[in-house]
Amino acid sequence: MVKKLLLPIAIIYTIWLTIVSLISLSGVPSLGSSFDDKIYHFIAYFILAFLWVTYFKPTKKRQIILIVFVCNILFGAILELVQHQLNSNRTYDNLDLLANCLGVIIGTIIAFRIDVFKLK
C-alpha cells in the first residue's frame, strides 16, 4: 500500500518543489533565524531525497540509489542556476545550493537506513 502511494507522492512533490523554486514567494513563515531560507532549502531537498530513495530502495540495487542521489543533486543545482533567469525576483545563492545538497545527502542516508515498509 505504501509503495503504491509513494510514487505519486514523490512525483507531485517534485512538481511542487519545481514550481515553488521558480515563482516569487511571499508570506513564508519565519523560523526566527537569519538562515530561514537555507533551512527551508535543506528541508525541501531532504524530503525530495527521502521520498525518491524510499521508493527505489526495495530494488536492492545500490546503483539505483546512487543514480537517484545524483539526479536529486543535479535537480537542485539546475533549479538554483535557472531560477534567477526565469524570475527576476529570484537569485542564485551558493549557500542555497549547499543547503540543497546537504538535504539530499542526509535524506538519502536516512532513507537508506530506515525501512519504511516495515514500520507499523
Side-chain angles (χ1 to χ4, degrees), residues 2 6 50 54 57 110-111 114-120:
V2 172
L6 205 50
F50 187 86
T54 301
K57 185 179 170 186
I110 290 176
I114 295 175
D115 195 348
V116 172
F117 301 110
K118 290 186 180 178
L119 295 177
K120 297 268 176 179

Side-chain angles (χ1 to χ4, degrees), residues 43-60:
I43 292 169
Y45 283 87
F46 173 93
I47 294 169
L48 178 75
F50 187 86
L51 289 172
W52 284 109
V53 170
T54 301
Y55 176 75
F56 282 106
K57 185 179 170 186
T59 64
K60 303 288 185 200

Side-chain angles (χ1 to χ4, degrees), residues 56-119:
F56 282 106
K57 185 179 170 186
T59 64
K60 303 288 185 200
K61 295 181 180 178
R62 289 186 182 230
Q63 66 262 34
I64 298 279
I65 302 303
L66 180 62
I67 290 168
V68 170
F69 173 79
V70 170
C71 286
N72 284 325
I73 294 284
L74 288 173
F75 178 74
I78 290 168
L79 278 179
E80 191 62 35
L81 289 169
V82 301
Q83 71 180 356
H84 73 281
Q85 294 173 341
L86 298 177
N87 185 339
S88 60
N89 294 327
R90 304 297 299 254
T91 59
Y92 171 82
D93 185 350
N94 284 326
L95 292 177
D96 286 350
L97 182 56
L98 178 62
N100 295 353
C101 292
L102 288 174
V104 169
I105 291 167
I106 303 300
T108 299
I109 290 169
I110 290 176
F112 193 73
R113 299 256 181 219
I114 295 175
D115 195 348
V116 172
F117 301 110
K118 290 186 180 178
L119 295 177

Side-chain angles (χ1 to χ4, degrees), residues 4 18 33 40 66 93 95:
K4 287 182 180 181
T18 303
S33 87
Y40 284 128
L66 180 62
D93 185 350
L95 292 177

